[in-house]
Amino acid sequence: DPDKPFHICKLDKSLYGLKQAPRAWYSRLSSKLHTLGFVPSKSDTSLFIYNKSNTVIFVLIYVDDIIITSSSNKAVTALLKDLQS
């Protein structure tokens, strides 16, 4: 709150303590990947593929880990910057 910059909010429960935390994390990440142009694999829902203009990026999500590989180092760097925002 801009009017009260020194006040602190106390959380009753952390996100990671909730049963639905993995689902919420996956939902938010997959939504972001969709907006960036990724398509989920038909055979594995944890694999997302980006394939445009000679650039291919594979993103594999396993629990709370992400594996990214690409045909371009610049594409991976750009993706990581986009995911941080």
Side-chain angles (χ1 to χ4, degrees), residues 36 57 72-85:
L36 294 173
I57 306 172
S72 165
N73 288 336
K74 290 181 182 180
V76 172
T77 303
L79 173 62
L80 293 175
K81 283 185 180 180
D82 286 338
L83 289 176
Q84 288 177 352
S85 61

Side-chain angles (χ1 to χ4, degrees), residues 14-85:
S14 68
L15 178 64
Y16 291 102
L18 301 174
K19 289 181 182 178
Q20 60 268 39
R23 181 181 299 140
W25 183 84
Y26 177 82
S27 175
R28 185 170 178 190
L29 179 60
S30 64
S31 294
K32 179 68 173 183
L33 289 173
H34 284 283
T35 61
L36 294 173
F38 283 81
V39 177
S41 168
K42 293 179 182 176
S43 60
D44 187 349
T45 58
S46 62
L47 176 64
F48 292 84
I49 304 164
Y50 177 91
N51 187 8
K52 290 185 183 163
S53 63
N54 296 331
T55 301
V56 179
I57 306 172
F58 295 99
V59 176
L60 182 65
I61 304 166
Y62 181 74
V63 185
D64 60 354
D65 292 325
I66 302 172
I67 299 171
I68 301 172
T69 189
S70 174
S71 60
S72 165
N73 288 336
K74 290 181 182 180
V76 172
T77 303
L79 173 62
L80 293 175
K81 283 185 180 180
D82 286 338
L83 289 176
Q84 288 177 352
S85 61

